[in-house]
Amino acid sequence: MMDIQPVSETALIIRLGDHIDTQLAVKTGSMADHIRNSCSSELIEVIPSYTTIYIQYHPLKTDFFALKIRLQGLVDAFFLSDDKDDRAREVSKTITLPVYYSLETGPDLPEVAQFHNRTVADVIQIHSQSTYVVCAIGFSPGFAFLGSVDSAIATPRKSEPRKMLPAGSVGIADQQTAVYPSESPGGWQIIGNCPVSLIDFDKTPMSPFSVGLSVQFQPISRDEFFALGGTLWSHWKSWTRG
């Protein structure tokens, strides 16, 4: 399934599928890079997501009909390509993030474990042994939606979000997991904290994440957490919901 439709006078959207698929996310991220490189002078912004690519273009350099024809050719050629080496490199792009899984940093660990009739140790082991794919970036700068969480620990969002979460909070929401890159309200089930900074507005790119990238989580000890710059948020016990 592939469809290209206008969304405004200077933007269009490419639909590459109709359901969330981590393998499609890898291809979508690579396709977005290919489009940027091939049409850089005509485009303002290229934003890949779960199954789509949003494109904003210069109205004085191209129009929807001309760009649609060009994009159709690029997409068709990309998905018909047999360049296995390039595809292998796409899949091999992986970053590993340290996480301190604990009741100090993951107040929802017991809730997730109880929801699945498992132990806290089970939740930590299952979450950290999976490899995730960045399917979309949004909600806040640098917030990467990662899929897919093992059904053995996939847990719904909280019925009432917390008013504030500390930066680095690692959460689960249904079959997605994520790291909150900065302090933020949030309704995900928090199971740990990553002490590594994941957003820097003075850098380009400002975040290490891109759609299609693979992410793994490495459990670390309390001492390692502090050595990497982690801190225990002073508001944990006084969290309120609303």
Side-chain angles (χ1 to χ4, degrees):
M1 170 187 171
M2 202 281 280
D3 185 40
I4 302 175
Q5 294 293 332
V7 293
S8 75
E9 293 87 348
T10 60
L12 58 81
I13 192 165
I14 304 174
R15 299 188 185 280
L16 300 171
D18 56 7
H19 65 280
I20 296 175
D21 181 331
T22 54
Q23 291 184 344
L24 179 59
V26 173
K27 294 176 182 177
T28 301
S30 296
M31 183 72 248
D33 289 339
H34 184 53
I35 290 171
R36 289 190 194 97
N37 295 333
S38 301
C39 309
S40 59
S41 64
E42 301 156 85
L43 307 183
I44 296 173
E45 197 163 27
V46 179
I47 304 175
S49 188
Y50 296 92
T51 61
T52 62
I53 302 175
Y54 170 89
I55 296 176
Q56 184 180 11
Y57 54 87
H58 293 281
L60 300 180
K61 295 184 179 180
T62 190
D63 59 38
F64 169 74
F65 299 102
L67 188 57
K68 179 180 179 179
I69 293 172
R70 187 169 182 188
L71 291 173
Q72 180 74 63
L74 288 173
V75 173
D76 289 346
F78 180 83
F79 284 106
L80 288 173
S81 172
D82 291 326
D83 194 336
K84 303 295 192 303
D85 291 337
D86 285 348
R87 294 298 170 84
R89 281 194 291 272
E90 290 163 14
V91 176
S92 70
K93 295 177 183 175
T94 303
I95 63 172
T96 300
L97 300 177
V99 177
Y100 176 38
Y101 297 95
S102 72
L103 298 183
E104 292 181 295
T105 57
D108 297 321
L109 273 170
E111 184 174 335
V112 174
Q114 184 178 13
F115 186 86
H116 295 281
N117 195 29
R118 290 182 175 273
T119 66
V120 166
D122 288 339
V123 175
I124 294 171
Q125 181 181 39
I126 294 169
H127 186 264
S128 62
Q129 286 187 345
S130 297
T131 297
Y132 305 95
V133 174
V134 179
C135 295
I137 299 174
F139 171 64
S140 65
F143 188 100
F145 292 85
L146 310 175
S148 297
V149 172
D150 192 308
S151 60
I153 59 170
T155 308
R157 291 172 172 81
K158 308 190 82 62
S159 57
E160 296 181 53
R162 292 184 171 99
K163 292 181 179 179
M164 193 60 64
L165 294 170
S169 292
V170 178
I172 291 175
D174 297 306
Q175 291 187 313
Q176 298 181 111
T177 187
V179 182
Y180 285 79
S182 55
E183 285 192 11
S184 167
W188 292 36
Q189 306 284 353
I190 305 305
I191 62 172
N193 190 279
C194 173
V196 176
S197 177
L198 296 175
I199 191 73
D200 187 338
F201 294 102
D202 294 325
K203 289 185 178 180
T204 301
M206 62 183 181
S207 166
F209 298 121
S210 60
V211 171
L213 181 78
S214 294
V215 178
Q216 295 177 331
F217 294 110
Q218 175 65 49
I220 59 173
S221 67
R222 193 174 193 268
D223 288 343
E224 290 172 320
F225 174 71
F226 289 128
L228 290 170
T231 58
L232 297 180
W233 209 42
S234 61
H235 304 306
W236 279 115
K237 293 183 180 180
S238 62
W239 272 2
T240 57
R241 299 176 182 175

